[in-house]
Amino acid sequence: MNVELINPFIAATVNVLKTMARTDPKHGTPSIKQGSKTWGDVTGLIGMAGDGVCGSLIISFDEPCILKIVSNMLMEDFKEINNDVLDAVGEITNMISGGTKSALSEKGYNFNMATPMMITGKNISLSQLSKTPVITVPFTTEAGQFVVEAHISKA
Amino acid sequence: MNVELINPFIAATVNVLKTMARTDPKHGTPSIKQGSKTWGDVTGLIGMAGDGVCGSLIISFDEPCILKIVSNMLMEDFKEINNDVLDAVGEITNMISGGTKSALSEKGYNFNMATPMMITGKNISLSQLSKTPVITVPFTTEAGQFVVEAHISKA
């Protein structure tokens, strides 16, 4: 995938977390995803699909990071990854994907979003059937870290 | 989700495995998916998305079942779940989803398909952010078993 396509994902991630969770994440350098393991303790994933367009967004948080984000979002103190936290991960994934729509549409990638899914567990083998590489971007927050992995391509 | 919507998924599953892998799976009774764990040793998942339509298809195989199916598909004897087997799981997931398109379109559900993903491991926590329930259907083949879990809804 064209590396410039990652920028809308970075911008949407920052915007969603600032707006919804009073969190200001700093991103590191994008690179091509190696291997096929989930990075964090909890991972949200969503498929994006349009006419001749397909892709995915994966966001994977370490536990302290997501507990702080969801505590800020829901104004309640979460101490462990429970169903409310998982649902919030799905919502965040959905909002970030949605936040990229207009910028990617301007580049000719029009899509709708599939049902968000959430995986619990580090180092889960999660691979994708795609000819174009997945770009991964590390993020740091005050409470912990997460990564965003995105891929979008035209048929 | 309306239970009759599961029938295109059952028909496409049987058709894809008959055509591609000389396998004639028999299905059991559909039910509402309980819990949020992957059923089998390897699981394919794909998002489906259209204007106001979103859904997912998950297919989860026990190891003997998928090894036999992929051995038949690729005309080579597979003894373990390797990257070729994972890619074949992604292809099967994609083909089954694609095989439901015209039947679901007739019922007003128009969608495109996102990038297929593959998870390795039994009892992985995999949940979905969806208000409508996921329908699960068990299948039996001569070599082993698998389940299909599907969900599609309109906004």
Side-chain angles (χ1 to χ4, degrees):
Chain A
M1 131 171 169
N2 187 329
V3 168
E4 76 172 34
L5 292 175
I6 199 68
N7 291 330
F9 290 96
I10 294 174
T13 301
V14 172
N15 185 46
V16 165
L17 292 180
K18 269 190 185 167
T19 313
M20 304 301 297
R22 290 172 286 122
T23 298
D24 189 12
K26 305 297 177 202
H27 72 88
T29 307
S31 61
I32 291 174
K33 161 95 173 170
Q34 305 293 334
S36 60
K37 300 284 186 181
T38 59
W39 179 84
D41 298 296
V42 59
T43 299
L45 48 109
I46 192 164
M48 297 174 292
D51 223 11
V53 171
C54 82
S56 65
L57 167 68
I58 295 175
I59 183 164
S60 191
F61 300 91
D62 68 26
E63 185 166 348
C65 181
I66 194 61
L67 291 180
K68 179 69 175 161
I69 285 170
V70 180
S71 296
N72 283 358
M73 263 177 84
L74 303 183
M75 289 182 282
E76 186 185 328
D77 201 15
F78 288 92
K79 301 283 191 202
E80 57 170 10
I81 295 171
N82 61 15
N83 284 342
D84 288 342
V85 173
L86 286 177
D87 283 356
V89 168
E91 296 282 8
I92 290 167
T93 310
N94 197 50
M95 285 185 285
I96 293 173
S97 173
T100 67
K101 279 190 76 154
S102 68
L104 289 173
S105 170
E106 281 168 19
K107 294 177 192 295
Y109 294 81
N110 293 294
F111 61 85
N112 289 292
M113 281 123 56
T115 306
M117 298 190 197
M118 298 78 76
I119 294 175
T120 315
K122 232 186 242 297
N123 289 322
I124 306 290
S125 164
L126 172 67
S127 44
Q128 303 199 44
L129 189 67
S130 161
K131 281 174 195 149
T132 55
V134 174
I135 308 289
T136 179
V137 188
F139 285 85
T140 307
T141 71
E142 286 183 9
Q145 295 177 290
F146 66 92
V147 300
V148 166
E149 298 171 1
H151 140 82
I152 192 158
S153 62
K154 287 186 203 173
Chain B
M1 132 173 167
N2 187 329
V3 168
E4 76 172 34
L5 292 175
I6 199 66
N7 291 330
F9 290 96
I10 294 173
T13 301
V14 171
N15 185 46
V16 165
L17 291 180
K18 268 190 185 168
T19 313
M20 303 302 295
R22 290 171 286 120
T23 298
D24 189 10
K26 303 299 177 201
H27 73 88
T29 308
S31 61
I32 291 174
K33 162 95 174 171
Q34 305 293 334
S36 60
K37 300 285 187 179
T38 59
W39 179 85
D41 298 296
V42 59
T43 300
L45 47 110
I46 192 164
M48 297 175 293
D51 222 11
V53 171
C54 82
S56 65
L57 167 68
I58 295 175
I59 182 164
S60 192
F61 300 90
D62 68 26
E63 184 165 349
C65 181
I66 193 60
L67 292 179
K68 179 68 175 166
I69 285 170
V70 179
S71 296
N72 282 0
M73 263 177 84
L74 303 183
M75 289 183 283
E76 188 186 327
D77 201 15
F78 289 92
K79 300 283 191 201
E80 57 170 11
I81 295 171
N82 61 15
N83 284 342
D84 288 343
V85 173
L86 286 177
D87 282 356
V89 168
E91 295 283 8
I92 290 167
T93 310
N94 197 50
M95 284 186 285
I96 294 173
S97 174
T100 68
K101 279 190 76 154
S102 66
L104 289 172
S105 170
E106 281 168 19
K107 295 178 192 295
Y109 294 82
N110 293 295
F111 61 85
N112 290 292
M113 281 122 58
T115 306
M117 298 191 196
M118 297 79 75
I119 295 175
T120 315
K122 233 186 240 299
N123 289 323
I124 306 291
S125 164
L126 173 67
S127 44
Q128 303 199 45
L129 189 67
S130 162
K131 282 175 195 148
T132 54
V134 174
I135 307 288
T136 179
V137 188
F139 284 85
T140 308
T141 71
E142 286 182 10
Q145 295 178 289
F146 66 92
V147 301
V148 166
E149 299 171 0
H151 141 81
I152 193 158
S153 63
K154 286 186 205 173

